[in-house]
Amino acid sequence: MEIEVPKGQASVPLAAFLTRALPDVPAWALKECLKRRDVKRLGVRLGAEDAVSGGDLLRVYLPKAALKTSAPQLDVVYEDARVLLVNKPQGLSVDADEGGGDTLLLRARRYLAAQGGDGAALSLCHRLDNKTGGLLLLAKDVQALEAAEEAFRLRTIRKTYTCRVVGCPKPREAVLTAYLLKDAERARVRVVERPLPGAQKIVTGYRVIETEGGFSRLSVELITGRTHQIRAHLAFIGCPIVGDDKYGLREVNRSARVRGQQLWATRMELHAGGALSYLDGRAFEVDAPF
C-alpha cells in the first residue's frame, strides 16, 4: 500500500508515524514490517528510526495475514438523520493532529458519503484521547452540533468510563476534586490539590466494580472534561490505569503484558435540548474490550 505523509507533518521516526497512520494494523505486523525494512521511500528501504516528514510518499509492504484483518472499520452504535454515535478504537485520533495519519472523523465522513449522505457536513461533538476508546458522538448538521455542544458545555450529557487500575482506591466509591495544570511542551498534565494560578478544577467520580490480583476495575464518571483528566487524576491518588505509559507504571504495564491503556468510554446518557430533544433520556452502552 502507498501512504503519503500529510503535508506540513514535522519530521518523526518511521515507526512512530506508521503506528498513528495504520491504527488497525496488528502490532506484530508493523513490527515484522519494520524489522524486514519493508517500507520504501523513492525506492530506498527505511528502518524504524529513519525520519519521515510531510510530503513523503511511502510504499509499505505488510504481511498478507495482516491485510485481511486491518481494513479501516467504523463501529456504528446508533444513527439517525441528525447524529452518528460510534465506538472509537484505541490508537485512532478523532481528528487531524501532529501525529498525522488516519482519523475517526475521516472514517465517519467516508462512511456517511458511502451511504449517500453529506460526509463533509459531519462534525465532532466532543473528543476522546488517541489512546482512549469508546463512545463518540458526531453531528450531521449545524443544529444538532449546536445542541450537542451546549449539552456538553452544561454537562447534561453523562459520560461513564470503565477502566482497570493498579491497586484499589479507598474508599471504594467517591467523588474526587483537584486541580489540573497543563504542560504543553511535554504534552501532559499535572494534578495538584490546591487552585494554583492557571490550574483548572477537575471533578471525577468513581466506583469500584471488582478487584482481582492487585488490580481493580472501576466505573468512572467524568463530571468535568479536561485533558487526560481520568488518567492523571487516578494516577494522582495512587491508582494509575493499567497500560498507561504516560501517567502509569511502565514496569507494571510490561509485566501485565497489556496492549493499550485500559480505559474505555462505555456509556453515554443524552440530555439535550433543541434539535436533539427527541433523544432526551436515551442511554447507549458498549463493552470495554478488557
Side-chain angles (χ1 to χ4, degrees):
M1 68 172 65
E2 286 191 346
I3 303 175
E4 183 178 2
V5 181
K7 291 178 173 59
Q9 166 73 52
S11 179
V12 294
L14 174 63
F17 172 72
L18 288 184
T19 299
R20 298 294 291 269
L22 301 172
D24 293 299
V25 174
W28 66 264
L30 280 181
K31 184 176 181 181
E32 182 176 326
C33 174
L34 292 168
K35 182 179 179 180
R36 294 174 179 269
R37 298 174 68 88
D38 279 342
V39 179
K40 293 182 179 180
R41 177 178 55 196
L42 299 176
V44 179
R45 292 181 179 270
L46 301 178
E49 297 304 316
D50 287 331
V52 297
S53 56
D56 285 349
L57 185 62
L58 308 176
R59 183 170 290 276
V60 183
Y61 300 88
L62 293 170
K64 291 183 179 180
L67 292 174
K68 296 178 181 179
T69 60
S70 60
Q73 300 293 324
L74 189 70
D75 185 358
V76 177
V77 177
Y78 173 81
E79 182 180 7
D80 63 27
R82 288 196 176 274
V83 298
L84 179 66
L85 184 65
V86 302
N87 188 13
K88 184 187 90 68
Q90 288 180 320
L92 181 68
S93 296
V94 296
D95 201 358
D97 58 18
E98 68 281 359
D102 195 8
T103 71
L104 187 285
L105 184 58
L106 284 176
R107 290 189 187 185
R109 285 176 171 169
R110 287 196 296 265
Y111 163 83
L112 197 58
Q115 308 302 313
D118 184 3
L122 199 63
S123 301
L124 294 163
C125 298
H126 62 118
R127 293 176 177 271
L128 289 174
D129 293 341
N130 173 277
K131 295 182 180 180
T132 301
L135 292 172
L136 186 79
L137 185 66
L138 301 99
K140 294 184 177 181
D141 57 52
V142 174
Q143 293 78 16
L145 177 63
E146 291 176 346
E149 288 183 334
E150 178 70 1
F152 279 113
R153 186 183 69 81
L154 296 175
R155 302 172 190 164
T156 57
I157 293 181
R158 297 186 62 183
K159 294 180 291 181
T160 305
Y161 294 71
T162 299
C163 66
R164 189 164 168 252
V165 302
V166 179
C168 181
K170 295 181 180 180
R172 293 177 67 88
E173 183 172 355
V175 175
L176 306 172
T177 299
Y179 298 86
L180 182 146
L181 286 163
K182 289 185 179 180
D183 185 341
E185 290 187 2
R186 299 174 63 197
R188 62 179 297 145
V189 300
R190 181 165 63 94
V191 176
V192 294
E193 292 183 353
R194 298 179 181 179
L196 299 178
Q200 296 175 308
K201 184 178 180 179
I202 56 173
V203 183
T204 311
Y206 73 83
R207 175 176 57 85
V208 177
I209 300 172
E210 62 181 0
T211 58
E212 182 180 1
F215 301 101
S216 297
R217 190 177 179 90
L218 309 183
S219 174
V220 179
E221 183 176 356
L222 192 60
I223 299 170
T224 56
R226 309 297 186 190
T227 302
H228 300 177
Q229 178 179 322
I230 295 176
R231 298 163 61 191
H233 211 167
L234 291 176
F236 179 69
I237 66 169
C239 295
I241 291 173
V242 178
D244 185 354
D245 280 344
K246 178 167 286 196
Y247 301 101
L249 302 172
R250 292 190 177 184
E251 61 275 15
V252 174
N253 297 338
R254 286 194 293 269
S255 64
R257 296 182 180 179
V258 298
R259 281 193 60 195
Q261 65 184 21
Q262 298 193 328
L263 172 65
W264 211 266
T266 49
R267 190 175 193 274
M268 182 180 294
E269 185 176 322
L270 300 174
H271 295 281
L276 297 184
S277 59
Y278 67 98
L279 288 173
D280 187 47
R282 289 286 302 273
F284 301 91
E285 296 188 43
V286 295
D287 293 328
F290 50 79

